[in-house]
Amino acid sequence: MDRNDVLILEALQKDSSRSIADLAELAGVSASACHRRIKALEASGVITGYAAQIDPHALGLKLQAFVEITLTSQSREAMERFERAVADFDEILDCHLMAGQADYLLRVAAKDLEQYDHIHRDCLAALPGVSAMRSAFAIRRIKRWRGYPVAG
C-alpha cells in the first residue's frame, strides 16, 4: 500500500458513501485510477465490506453490555460449539476470543434492563458449555470507533 491507498482507506472508513470522484481528488489520482485501487483493496481483502454507522440510541438501544464468558472446557470442540451458537444470535453484536481470565467477551445492546434480562435468559443462558458469565454495563461512550489506523 502506498500513500494514496492510505488516504483512500482513511476516507472510506470515515464515510464509505463518498464518491469515487471525491476520493480521487483527495488522493490526487484520476477517478479511474482510484476505482482500480479500491477494487484491488477489495480483491486483496483489505476492504471487506461497506456499512452505515447507526446511532443505537436512535433505535432505542440505550443499554450496552459487555459480557465475559468462561467455558467449562477449552477444548477445540467446546470452543467451536460455543462459537457456532454465538453466530446464531443476532442479539450478540460482537464476540471476541480472549486471552486472560475470561474465554470470550461479548457485546450486547438492549433497550433497557428488562430487554437485557430477556436476552440474558433466552440467548446468553442458551449458549453451550458456559461455566461463568459476568456482565458489565457501559455508562456512556467516551470515544466512538472511527476505523483502524492505516497510516504508519
Side-chain angles (χ1 to χ4, degrees):
M1 282 195 314
D2 64 13
R3 183 179 182 283
N4 291 334
D5 290 335
V6 168
L7 290 170
I8 291 167
L9 288 172
E10 287 175 339
L12 283 173
Q13 284 190 108
K14 289 179 184 161
D15 181 3
S16 65
S17 68
R18 290 182 76 160
S19 71
I20 297 287
D22 286 346
L23 293 168
E25 184 178 331
L26 177 73
V29 298
S30 69
S32 60
C34 182
H35 186 261
R36 281 192 304 275
R37 284 174 179 271
I38 291 170
K39 290 299 176 194
L41 290 165
E42 291 170 350
S44 68
V46 174
I47 296 175
T48 59
Y50 300 90
Q53 292 183 11
I54 298 172
D55 180 359
H57 285 94
L59 301 177
L61 300 171
K62 298 181 188 222
L63 186 79
Q64 294 276 327
F66 296 89
V67 184
E68 292 181 337
I69 301 286
T70 304
L71 299 181
T72 56
S73 167
Q74 285 74 37
S75 71
R76 176 181 293 278
E77 296 80 20
M79 294 172 78
E80 288 175 354
R81 191 169 49 254
F82 175 84
E83 291 169 11
R84 280 192 306 272
V86 163
D88 290 338
F89 290 105
D90 291 336
E91 296 86 350
I92 299 172
L93 305 178
D94 292 310
C95 176
H96 300 269
L97 177 63
M98 303 297 289
Q101 197 166 16
D103 294 315
Y104 292 92
L105 180 65
L106 311 179
R107 184 171 64 91
V108 174
K111 293 178 189 259
D112 52 28
L113 281 173
E114 183 178 349
Q115 185 183 31
Y116 180 76
D117 180 48
H118 289 293
I119 292 169
H120 188 275
R121 291 170 185 261
D122 300 335
C123 170
L124 301 177
L127 294 170
V130 174
S131 69
M133 196 177 338
R134 288 171 296 284
S135 299
F137 299 98
I139 296 170
R140 70 182 162 93
R141 181 183 302 183
I142 306 303
K143 181 180 178 184
R144 180 179 198 73
W145 184 77
R146 299 284 299 170
Y148 294 103
V150 290

